[in-house]
Amino acid sequence: MPNPPIQSVGTTPRPHASLTATLDRIAPTRDERLFLVLSIFIGVISGLLVVAFRIAIEWIRLLTLGSAPHGGQFRLLFVPAVAGLIVAALVIWFFPAARGSGVNQTKAALYIYDGYISFRTVIGKFLTSALAIGGGHSLGPEDPSLQIGAGVASIIARNLNLSRRRLRMFAPIGAAAGLAAAFNAPISAILFVIEEVIGSWSAAVLGSLVLSAISSVVVARWFWGPEPLFRIPSIALRDPRELMAYAVLGVFGGLLAPVFSLVLGYLRPRLRALPRWTQFLQPAVAGLLVGAIGFFGFPQVMGTGYDVIDQAMHGQFVWQILLALVFLKLLATTFSFSSGTPGGMFAPTLFIGAMLGGAVGAFEKHFFPHLTGTIGAYSLVGMGVLFAGFLRAPLTSVFMVLEVSGNYSIVLPIILANTLAFLISRGLQPVGIFEIFTQQDGLDLPSMEEQREESVLHIEDALQPASVPIIDGSDTLQAVSQAISEFHATACLVRLMDGSWYAMSTDELNGAAATLAPDTAVQRALKTDRTPALFPDMPLDSALHFFPRWPLLPVLNRASRGTVEGMLTLDDVLRCYRGSE
Amino acid sequence: MASPQTGMAFTPEERLARRNLIVRDAVSLVTLFLITAIIFVLTLLLFRSFTSHRQELGARWKARGEAALHGGHPGVAIEDLRSALAYVPDRATEIELATALADAGKLQEASVYFTTLWESAPSDGTINLQLARLAVKQGNEGQAIFHYQAALDGAWQGNGYDRRREVRLEMARYLISGREDSKARAQLLIAAGNAPDDPAIKLAIAGLLEQANATQDALGIYRSLAARREPPLAALEGAGRTAFGLGMYRLAEDYLSRALASPLAINLSDDEKTADRNMLDTSLHVLLLYPSFDLTPRNRAQRVLAIRNVARRSLSACMGANPTAPPKLPALVSRWGQLPSQITVSQFEQQPNMEQTILQLAYDTETAAAPVCGPPTGNDALLLRIANNPSAVDQQ
């Protein structure tokens, strides 16, 4: 069975071309101004919806699983299964685009559907994710929040007839707002959207990203208060030698992350390949399995697990329990996510990371009691470690932990452990989890990790020594002709009094020689334009569009523009690109 | 929305379109604002009902957990307090949960929990006390004393004065159980110095001082209590008992007779009464044998002579029963031989030092004979009691 499309939009509504042209003429700055104003509205509405989304999850959890779920309660077995059945029916019959986490769906909206996310998708994501997570499935609310935010942005932008380019950029702005409200961490949300959705720093959207993220966090904090997502115990790195202990945690995280990716990457396509009728049952069966884990003594793996992360950070579990929770949560999340139940991967990743960190920290402290780092500190670093290793967002992982903890003194352990986890995980599993899902969905979205690591060619890569005569503007045409013939060159570089340069071809020289006296200064024969100022560190593609005009280009020294570092021809540039393939 | 561009000419249709666009954008933004306001109100209502429900759940689970903890069901309390913490996290509940873990015998979990709490509040008295108790259960003496001390120095909510004293007494009990009597005594003396004028507290401290072999200190507290207008029976008994232990038989006789004569003595068990009576009888017999300086010289001389006879008979019996007696005993025989064989009361008047010489020799004889010839009985036993601390017998 072919994979269903990630976004079911047969016809993507787009602003009519003639309407866009008219708008550009009668109100050329309208889009730009609306862009910023709407960013604030998007942030506020996304923040409100995310708050409502979290409350909905909690209400559903309270009503279905009770206020204190614990092992041995039979409802733990059947509630997630029933929730899975309802969610499956809703997704298959009403909200097909609500399936999955939300990150790739938002990327698809950006790169494929011109920023289009339907109102139905937003409603569907809200309802189905809330039901699934509240019903005990091992999934998180952050990725759905990201998609809800992106959807809100898309709906608002569409209704204001903004240009296609603007419309496309609204999705990541809303995504940042949704994620910021869910995490109560604006910087992390902005960084994640840049790292994982947009893929590059763009001044055009950065301002709007910040505005929307800040607005949504202000709204979220108005409701939840300024406290971070978790209560953070006291954290301090008193002895730099303890970095070794955190490095061990980084290594474990780096080894566990690929395991998580492999298990998900293995099970998900196999379940999706099963007959269509089984998709009604898959979330229910996954719910039953997750419920069984809860029923037999580990209800902590059910739902978002924020309270369990909080407990782990406050030393409420021994390392054996923490280790058990690592593997059981990994299993539970794999069942829930692979079955197509809507919900996110962020919270389970943080959960597993926190438990792993707590287990490693408690184990190390048991055998090396002189270590001063608290178990809470290890749990906190563990969250970042798995975030970096599994979700492959290293920068976000560092800032997320800093924002969540509000403690800068943890920065060294985080950077060390996260970097190790990221490098080890990437070495063992080169393809990141979002790319794996993208490939499984039959889409070809850009890989942000690959984009970040693409080597950009610079002018210095194609630079050749100046093999043409370099003459002064005051030299005569006759002298220039002689110099060119001596060099057997097809052009020369003319240095002018004001420090600018001119690349003169032999044809141009011959034309000038035919009309002007031989003792005429060559600068009098030049056209008014000048060769561009190019430097060795500039991107190679910046030189490309000058070649139709100039036979060759001088490459100058940044400290002394009168000094030529070398020259560049179209052949040199093309040879360089071919060589890099 | 858009501002007119300088020098840009619009056709009448474009001007109309521009005006319409501005109106439409303004309406859109106002609509957006209204939608935002509606979503805000709905979210606020949802949030308020949710938070009040959470508070209610948190309070309910906490009450159930506390009831279970105080009712001796720590296993139930653990689940309830965990649930309470999920809704309303606070330090007091965390401490209760950790206490429940410890009570339920989950020492490792409790230890980890308390350690984490301690790391965030190292000066919290309650947390340090619980950590000390855990260390006691785990047999970690160093950690126990460290945390007891930290609890004494730490901050306490409520009546810190009383809580510190309780911790100090608990620490003293732990030290006594570990035979660290001198350290226990130091703690108890501090506790006694800071204790309020509460007989129950002072009696507890005195009792612990007795256990720490600080009998003299205990006697001091008992005596101060016994000096009250309505002295507690336990104070009279304690004073008598400790005085008896210190060889202060005059005092013992005084306090024990008061104790047994007290109307409260009917509350004593038979064993306690018997023990008190035995001590009182012994004290009376000692006092009848003891040559007190309060006696007339003649009576005192007669008692010295009686003591001399008791000691000599004891030495002779011991030597006869143990022919291979250690050299100490023959030395004593030699010392007795250097004294006149017949001594009269009037000789004591002529040689005042002789009285003291005979008494010292009698004490040395009883002290040396007891280990060789077994526990003495009768007057020998009384004389040995006097010999242990002769100057204390008559002390007031």
Side-chain angles (χ1 to χ4, degrees):
Chain A
M1 191 195 124
N3 290 329
I6 199 165
Q7 176 90 29
S8 61
V9 277
T11 53
T12 308
R14 290 169 176 172
H16 197 272
S18 62
L19 174 63
T20 307
T22 309
L23 287 176
D24 283 347
R25 175 164 166 70
I26 63 174
T29 60
R30 172 181 176 267
D31 273 16
E32 195 180 321
R33 294 181 183 186
L34 273 179
F35 199 55
L36 291 175
V37 174
L38 291 182
S39 298
I40 296 171
F41 272 109
I42 288 166
V44 172
I45 294 176
S46 299
L48 289 169
L49 287 181
V50 170
V51 169
F53 180 52
R54 277 186 59 185
I55 296 171
I57 290 172
E58 287 296 313
W59 264 124
I60 291 170
R61 188 180 72 83
L62 282 173
L63 294 173
T64 56
L65 296 174
S67 61
H70 57 268
Q73 290 177 315
F74 280 102
R75 64 174 153 194
L76 298 193
L77 274 176
F78 69 79
V79 164
V82 172
L85 269 181
I86 298 170
V87 166
L90 285 172
V91 168
I92 292 169
W93 286 330
F94 301 105
F95 309 112
R99 201 181 162 107
S101 83
V103 175
N104 275 350
Q105 287 80 351
T106 305
K107 277 170 76 175
L110 174 65
Y111 291 104
I112 301 173
Y113 303 112
D114 289 336
Y116 180 83
I117 296 174
S118 69
F119 182 68
R120 181 196 277 204
T121 303
V122 175
I123 296 292
K125 197 75 181 179
F126 189 111
L127 289 178
T128 56
S129 297
L131 194 56
I133 301 167
H137 275 269
S138 177
L139 295 164
E142 295 86 4
D143 323 28
S145 300
L146 180 145
Q147 197 183 0
I148 289 169
V152 166
S154 174
I155 294 162
I156 290 174
R158 282 203 307 276
N159 282 295
L160 278 150
N161 283 330
L162 294 180
S163 67
R164 184 185 300 179
R165 190 172 67 85
R166 295 282 179 191
L167 198 60
R168 192 183 295 134
M169 293 317 296
F170 264 110
I173 289 167
L179 193 58
F183 263 140
N184 195 7
I187 301 173
S188 312
I190 293 166
L191 285 176
F192 182 80
V193 168
I194 289 171
E195 268 194 306
E196 207 44 60
V197 180
I198 303 174
S200 62
W201 293 85
S202 163
V205 291
L206 191 59
S208 294
L209 276 177
V210 172
L211 274 179
S212 67
I214 297 289
S215 309
S216 70
V217 167
V218 166
V219 170
R221 288 187 182 179
W222 195 88
F223 286 97
W224 302 115
E227 294 80 19
L229 202 55
F230 311 105
R231 293 173 307 136
I232 305 298
S234 65
I235 293 168
L237 180 68
R238 297 196 186 98
D239 186 346
R241 284 175 298 181
E242 283 193 31
L243 285 172
M244 291 297 292
Y246 290 102
V248 171
L249 173 57
V251 172
F252 275 104
L255 294 173
L256 183 67
V259 174
F260 196 14
S261 295
L262 283 173
V263 175
L264 271 169
Y266 177 83
L267 190 61
R268 186 170 177 264
R270 277 157 185 78
L271 290 181
R272 297 188 81 167
L274 292 174
R276 182 177 164 79
W277 65 268
T278 66
Q279 293 187 5
F280 281 94
L281 297 177
Q282 285 178 18
V285 174
L288 195 66
L289 291 170
V290 174
I293 295 173
F295 180 79
F296 289 109
F298 290 93
Q300 295 94 337
V301 302
M302 301 175 79
T304 59
Y306 287 152
D307 52 339
V308 186
I309 294 174
D310 192 272
Q311 288 168 6
M313 278 201 284
H314 289 81
Q316 293 186 21
F317 301 112
V318 292
W319 69 268
Q320 294 93 331
I321 297 285
L322 291 167
L323 205 57
L325 286 174
V326 167
F327 291 104
L328 291 173
K329 184 72 177 181
L330 193 149
L331 268 184
T333 307
T334 305
F335 293 146
S336 290
F337 193 80
S338 300
S339 68
T341 311
M345 299 295 297
F346 283 25
T349 305
L350 296 178
F351 183 107
I352 296 170
M355 299 305 134
L356 178 72
V360 172
F363 184 81
E364 289 180 344
K365 282 188 75 130
H366 184 72
F367 290 100
F368 304 98
H370 62 277
L371 293 175
T372 58
T374 60
I375 291 173
Y378 284 92
S379 285
L380 199 58
V381 174
M383 286 199 288
V385 159
L386 214 68
F387 205 96
F390 178 65
L391 298 177
R392 302 286 173 82
L395 198 58
T396 308
S397 71
V398 170
F399 276 87
M400 186 201 66
V401 176
L402 289 182
E403 270 195 297
V404 165
S405 69
N407 188 329
Y408 186 76
S409 63
I410 197 80
V411 71
L412 283 181
I414 292 170
I415 289 176
L416 177 69
N418 288 15
T419 306
L420 276 172
F422 177 71
L423 293 175
I424 293 170
S425 168
R426 201 183 56 167
L428 294 172
Q429 171 72 30
V431 184
I433 192 68
F434 290 122
E435 278 67 51
I436 291 174
F437 292 157
T438 305
Q439 289 165 10
Q440 289 174 356
D441 292 339
L443 297 174
D444 195 5
L445 295 173
S447 161
M448 299 309 159
E449 196 177 342
E450 286 170 16
Q451 270 188 17
R452 280 197 297 273
E453 288 164 18
E454 272 178 0
S455 56
V456 178
L457 289 174
H458 294 93
I459 285 175
E460 62 190 358
D461 298 320
L463 188 65
Q464 298 296 325
S467 58
V468 296
I470 298 173
I471 57 178
D472 288 324
S474 57
D475 291 348
T476 62
L477 288 172
Q478 189 176 15
V480 174
S481 295
Q482 277 178 358
I484 287 180
S485 59
E486 281 171 14
F487 271 80
H488 304 290
T490 56
C492 66
L493 286 172
V494 182
R495 184 193 295 119
L496 298 164
M497 292 292 285
D498 60 357
S500 60
W501 290 80
Y502 193 93
M504 190 176 203
S505 66
T506 48
D507 290 345
E508 196 178 350
L509 180 66
N510 292 337
T515 55
L516 297 170
D519 58 348
T520 307
V522 71
Q523 64 195 13
R524 294 189 58 196
L526 305 181
K527 292 177 182 167
T528 53
D529 56 348
R530 299 289 180 261
T531 54
L534 296 175
F535 304 103
D537 57 293
M538 291 170 75
L540 190 55
D541 60 2
S542 64
L544 264 176
H545 63 279
F546 294 114
F547 281 112
R549 165 67 184 88
W550 304 101
L552 57 90
L553 293 167
V555 178
L556 310 177
N557 185 300
R558 279 196 185 270
S560 164
R561 289 196 174 197
T563 306
V564 174
E565 294 277 339
M567 64 176 217
L568 213 56
T569 63
L570 183 58
D571 284 343
D572 297 332
V573 174
L574 295 177
R575 200 179 303 117
C576 186
Y577 275 120
R578 283 192 210 105
S580 71
E581 283 174 2
Chain B
M1 283 298 297
S3 62
Q5 299 296 298
T6 312
M8 186 173 280
F10 294 124
T11 63
E13 291 79 18
E14 284 175 339
R15 258 191 231 111
L16 182 64
R18 197 161 166 272
R19 198 176 302 132
N20 288 341
L21 182 64
I22 290 169
V23 171
R24 207 178 63 202
D25 282 350
V27 170
S28 296
L29 288 177
V30 170
T31 309
L32 201 54
F33 181 80
L34 290 174
I35 290 170
T36 308
I38 291 166
I39 297 175
F40 175 80
V41 171
L42 291 176
T43 308
L44 186 64
L45 291 175
L46 196 62
F47 181 79
R48 287 210 171 142
S49 74
F50 173 70
T51 45
S52 68
H53 190 60
R54 275 180 72 92
Q55 295 287 340
E56 196 182 300
L57 282 173
R60 192 193 304 164
W61 283 113
K62 185 174 181 178
R64 284 179 60 167
E66 285 173 343
L69 186 61
H70 297 139
H73 305 292
V76 179
I78 290 169
E79 294 298 329
D80 294 347
L81 292 169
R82 277 219 167 107
S83 301
L85 276 174
Y87 296 108
V88 186
D90 68 85
R91 185 177 296 281
T93 314
E94 284 180 324
I95 292 171
E96 283 173 340
L97 172 56
T99 309
L101 286 167
D103 291 353
K106 298 182 176 181
L107 297 186
Q108 198 186 352
E109 277 180 74
S111 184
V112 170
Y113 202 151
F114 271 126
T115 304
T116 307
L117 287 172
W118 180 80
E119 280 161 348
S120 61
S123 61
D124 188 294
T126 309
I127 295 170
N128 275 295
L129 175 61
Q130 296 295 345
L131 277 170
R133 286 174 177 168
L134 278 173
V136 169
K137 285 182 183 170
Q138 290 166 336
N140 190 337
E141 186 186 337
Q143 281 291 306
I145 291 176
F146 170 80
H147 285 297
Y148 271 129
Q149 195 58 53
L152 288 172
D153 300 335
W156 291 86
Q157 283 187 337
N159 193 346
Y161 185 76
D162 290 347
R163 302 296 304 277
R164 283 194 189 88
R165 187 186 56 250
E166 286 162 12
V167 173
R168 207 179 284 284
L169 297 186
E170 187 176 321
M171 183 183 181
R173 281 188 206 100
Y174 173 66
L175 291 168
I176 290 166
S177 70
R179 298 178 185 280
E180 300 268 11
D181 288 349
S182 60
K183 288 180 184 170
R185 177 176 174 265
Q187 293 300 332
L188 290 166
L189 289 179
I190 296 170
N194 296 324
D197 189 23
D198 183 341
I201 292 169
K202 289 195 168 175
L203 283 171
I205 294 171
L208 288 172
L209 279 167
E210 271 191 271
Q211 290 176 36
N213 293 317
T215 319
Q216 188 75 52
D217 301 313
L219 175 62
I221 295 172
Y222 285 133
R223 289 188 72 179
S224 70
L225 288 170
R228 297 165 78 98
R229 180 172 297 181
E230 291 180 2
L233 176 63
L236 295 170
E237 269 193 296
R241 186 174 60 245
T242 46
F244 184 84
L246 289 166
M248 301 163 82
Y249 296 101
R250 179 77 61 201
L251 273 182
E253 182 270 333
D254 177 31
Y255 286 118
L256 287 168
S257 54
R258 282 171 64 192
L260 288 167
S262 164
L264 298 172
I266 55 167
N267 296 325
L268 292 174
S269 67
D270 289 343
D271 287 347
E272 287 169 330
K273 276 183 191 164
T274 307
D276 288 349
R277 280 207 190 93
N278 287 342
M279 282 189 287
L280 178 59
D281 290 346
T282 306
S283 301
L284 287 168
H285 286 115
V286 167
L287 292 172
L288 286 173
L289 186 65
Y290 181 68
S292 171
F293 285 103
D294 295 338
L295 298 171
T296 60
R298 169 164 284 276
N299 285 346
R300 178 176 158 77
Q302 283 172 344
R303 287 197 183 185
V304 171
L305 285 175
I307 285 170
R308 168 179 168 271
N309 295 336
V310 169
R312 287 189 68 168
R313 272 200 302 275
S314 174
L315 182 61
S316 302
C318 191
M319 289 291 286
N322 297 280
T324 56
K328 232 177 175 181
L329 294 185
L332 285 168
V333 174
S334 163
R335 282 174 65 191
W336 279 113
Q338 289 169 13
L339 291 173
S341 55
Q342 293 295 320
I343 301 172
T344 59
V345 173
S346 57
Q347 275 180 295
F348 286 130
E349 288 169 6
Q350 292 160 7
Q351 298 177 44
N353 289 339
M354 185 180 283
E355 203 176 77
Q356 193 54 42
T357 306
I358 289 169
L359 282 175
Q360 189 58 54
L361 187 52
Y363 298 150
D364 291 347
T365 301
E366 291 296 342
T367 308
V372 178
C373 303
T377 54
N379 283 343
D380 284 320
L382 297 174
L383 191 53
L384 182 61
R385 285 181 178 278
I386 296 170
N388 286 335
N389 192 359
S391 60
V393 174
D394 220 11
Q395 215 171 58
Q396 292 288 339

